[in-house]
Amino acid sequence: PQMRPLLVFMKYFLLQRGLNDTFTGGMGSYLLCNVVLHFLQRHPSLRDQRLHTSTSLGHLLFDLMKYYGRDFCYDVGISVLSGGYTFRREDRGWAAKGKGKGGVQLCLESPLGSPPSDLGAPCFRMHILRNLFHHAYHCISHLFVTQASAEDSLLCPLLLDPAHGVITERYTLMAEQPMALASMRLQGCTQDMAPEVLKEPTTKSARMDDLSGAPLPELAV
């Protein structure tokens, strides 16, 4: 259950910095899902029930940034299969790919497909991502050390910009794309949409309505 809110935050976090697309060297959704899943598989709270009950999403976010920004060794590969583990790149034949810019390259085995592929290979801006995670870790640490008041947010404005369009217009975006929200009932989505959006027919449906009342042309004999 902790994976979904962590993924939502991380997608916003990377989107606001232009690092959410694998095509441009960032971390796409599929790769990000496996990155967060690996972290949760390795977290100590998974094996300690008492620790699990006392671990909040804030603790997990702090540990996530710390793990990929400071602790993780990028010389090994990641697999989320069989409960998650790390492996030597040479064992998969991926050692010859070398390191990306900045001496950092993420190697993550795809859990789907045969033969397995390296999902982290296209992420050539991993050195920027690691520095970003490390900076976020220090930002949260600063709030802890300075004993920030309870009213201060751990996320805004240090990690997220609340004025970003994706956040301020999120309800409008959700209403305009009801089919993308599989978890919401269609009736609830249409109620949130503007009346003019619901009443405005598409070009194709309007054309079909016009033709439905028109007489059929006579065929020449």
Side-chain angles (χ1 to χ4, degrees):
Q2 298 93 341
M3 185 171 179
R4 181 175 180 178
L6 283 177
L7 274 175
V8 171
F9 169 81
M10 292 302 297
K11 287 177 70 69
Y12 276 122
F13 182 69
L14 297 180
L15 173 65
Q16 293 189 358
R17 291 158 177 82
L19 294 168
N20 62 315
D21 192 351
T22 307
F23 181 76
T24 57
M27 187 173 291
S29 297
Y30 184 43
L31 176 58
L32 181 60
C33 286
N34 285 273
V35 165
V36 175
L37 177 58
H38 167 72
F39 161 74
L40 292 176
Q41 289 174 333
R42 307 276 289 188
H43 199 268
S45 63
L46 183 66
R47 296 171 291 276
D48 189 332
Q49 184 61 33
R50 292 183 59 185
L51 181 61
H52 177 78
T53 56
S54 62
T55 300
S56 66
L57 287 173
H59 291 110
L60 290 175
L61 179 61
F62 175 81
D63 291 341
L64 175 66
M65 298 301 185
K66 177 184 177 184
Y67 182 69
Y68 287 110
R70 194 189 73 170
D71 297 341
F72 181 72
C73 178
Y74 287 87
D75 291 333
V76 299
I78 297 173
S79 177
V80 297
L81 298 174
S82 303
Y85 59 92
T86 58
F87 58 86
R88 296 175 64 251
R89 295 190 182 200
E90 293 80 1
D91 297 339
R92 300 290 194 276
W94 295 334
K97 294 184 178 181
K99 296 183 178 180
K101 296 180 180 179
V104 178
Q105 179 63 52
L106 179 66
C107 177
L108 196 149
E109 179 187 25
S110 174
L112 303 176
S114 181
S117 59
D118 182 8
L119 296 177
C123 187
F124 57 82
R125 300 171 74 183
M126 192 62 224
H127 63 295
I128 299 178
L129 286 165
R130 186 186 65 169
N131 292 338
L132 179 61
F133 297 150
H134 192 261
H135 175 70
Y137 158 67
H138 280 286
C139 287
I140 302 177
S141 298
H142 172 73
L143 295 177
F144 290 159
V145 173
T146 56
Q147 297 181 353
S149 63
E151 290 76 15
D152 293 340
S153 172
L154 289 175
L155 307 182
C156 304
L158 296 178
L159 301 184
L160 289 182
D161 179 13
H164 193 273
V166 176
I167 295 181
T168 57
E169 302 295 330
R170 61 188 182 277
Y171 294 113
T172 303
L173 296 174
M174 290 167 61
E176 292 175 351
Q177 304 180 38
M179 298 305 297
L181 305 174
S183 61
M184 296 181 63
R185 298 177 61 182
L186 183 59
Q187 182 179 359
C189 293
T190 54
Q191 290 177 353
D192 294 337
M193 293 176 65
E196 58 271 13
V197 176
L198 296 176
K199 295 179 179 179
E200 181 180 0
T202 61
T203 304
K204 183 176 180 180
S205 61
R207 190 186 304 117
M208 294 302 295
D209 292 340
D210 294 340
L211 293 176
S212 61
L216 296 175
E218 296 182 359
L219 296 178
V221 181

